Amino acid sequence: MPNPPVPPTGATSTGKSLGTPANSLIKGILFMVASAAFFAVMNLFSRLAGDLPSLQKAYIRNLVVALISGLVYARYIRAEGREDLGRRARIDLVLRASFGLLGLIANFYAVDHLPLSDATILGKLSPFFAIVFSYFLLAEKIHRVQALCLALAFGGALLVVRPSFANPHIGAYLVGFVGGMFAGLAYTYIRILTTHGVSRHLVVFYFGAFSSVVLLPVMIFNYVPMTGQQTLYLLLVGLCGAAGQYCMTWAYAAAPARSVSIFDYSQVIFAALLSSLILQEFPSLPSILGYIIIFAASLIMFIANYRAAKDYDAA
């Protein structure tokens, strides 16, 4: 007997899509674009903070996120009550936070050593890695369109990375690529947690708190003194990171993922503008071609998901 069809992203537990009024869709798009802008500015401030260890930047960023998300989660507990987590959920929270932290550290390293737009597009490989990991962890099938998009995305990544011993920054490009992989794995665990009833507020707070505790010994023994300007930049990194995270959450709350997820790629546009105007960095022609291919792959997948969802709603 074949397996029952799985509802597409954005469907309710009863199987039908929630449906999104025009004003909610517009809000979702605006929140997603705002999220992309905040994350692009976050990476810019990380670069402007100068030659500081990536671990130190990640620590301060997540400490700010932990403080802000902790206040939000405390308010959530007062309204909804404390969550009763099982052993499996606690393990998944640790895995999500661990992989997310590795992805964040790799992202900061790539941002510090690569053109901003290159580092950004490598991070945007995470949705494609999430498809691969969902196959192994959630037994979700990879359909032909998804397989095509995966091949396109990784082909585009090769143009950005340009793997060659002649490339002096090959190590940083590989770190950025692996960072996108870890982020995709972290997103897969977010999906596992939220589908098992763990609130997003706890997922965000746990990530910030976990990484702040884990990195504290490293900070104590390897702390690099900062100027007032560097401290300000890293505080802004944390504030922009928190703002980007919550804008993304609000975007997915306002509209189905199939309708707004594609707008997350506007971060690459923001990053390219910021790096060219402020840092005087301009992407190479192979990188630009890689951006186009990766964006095309995400657009194809977006259209396929949207059509599948519409067909499901009409059934």
Side-chain angles (χ1 to χ4, degrees), residues 102-312:
L102 290 171
L104 181 67
I105 293 170
N107 173 73
F108 278 132
Y109 183 88
V111 165
D112 286 343
H113 295 84
L114 299 175
L116 201 58
S117 51
D118 281 10
T120 299
I121 198 65
L122 291 175
K124 291 304 171 189
L125 291 173
S126 54
F128 299 100
F129 279 114
I131 293 174
V132 176
F133 289 123
S134 293
Y135 173 80
F136 292 103
L137 296 175
L138 294 168
E140 293 183 349
K141 293 182 179 179
I142 298 179
H143 301 289
R144 281 178 292 181
V145 172
Q146 291 176 319
L148 171 63
C149 292
L150 282 169
L152 283 173
F154 293 129
L158 286 176
L159 286 172
V160 177
V161 174
R162 298 184 298 282
S164 166
F165 291 112
N167 183 351
H169 302 294
I170 184 64
Y173 277 107
L174 292 177
V175 169
F177 182 84
V178 172
M181 181 184 70
F182 279 128
L185 187 51
Y187 292 157
T188 305
Y189 274 100
I190 291 176
R191 176 167 167 77
I192 291 172
L193 286 162
T194 53
T195 53
H196 286 84
V198 179
S199 72
R200 289 184 178 182
H201 298 290
L202 176 57
V203 173
V204 174
F205 168 65
Y206 192 92
F207 174 45
F210 174 89
S211 55
S212 297
V213 172
V214 169
L215 292 181
L216 183 58
V218 180
M219 278 288 294
I220 292 174
F221 292 106
N222 299 279
Y223 177 77
V224 175
M226 299 183 294
T227 65
Q229 186 178 55
Q230 287 177 314
T231 302
L232 175 61
Y233 280 142
L234 289 188
L235 289 175
L236 290 172
V237 165
L239 290 173
C240 288
Q245 187 68 55
Y246 279 107
C247 281
M248 181 176 291
T249 301
W250 292 333
Y252 285 129
R258 67 176 186 264
S259 302
V260 298
S261 59
I262 190 68
F263 294 95
D264 186 35
Y265 281 81
S266 60
Q267 184 182 342
V268 182
I269 299 173
F270 290 123
L273 289 173
L274 290 171
S275 61
S276 60
L277 293 175
I278 298 176
L279 302 176
Q280 298 299 302
E281 293 178 346
F282 303 94
S284 64
L285 180 58
S287 288
I288 293 173
L289 291 175
Y291 302 165
I292 293 171
I293 291 173
I294 294 172
F295 179 78
S298 64
L299 181 61
I300 292 170
M301 197 158 62
F302 168 78
I303 293 172
N305 288 340
Y306 192 87
R307 286 177 176 174
K310 287 184 67 177
D311 292 342
Y312 187 89

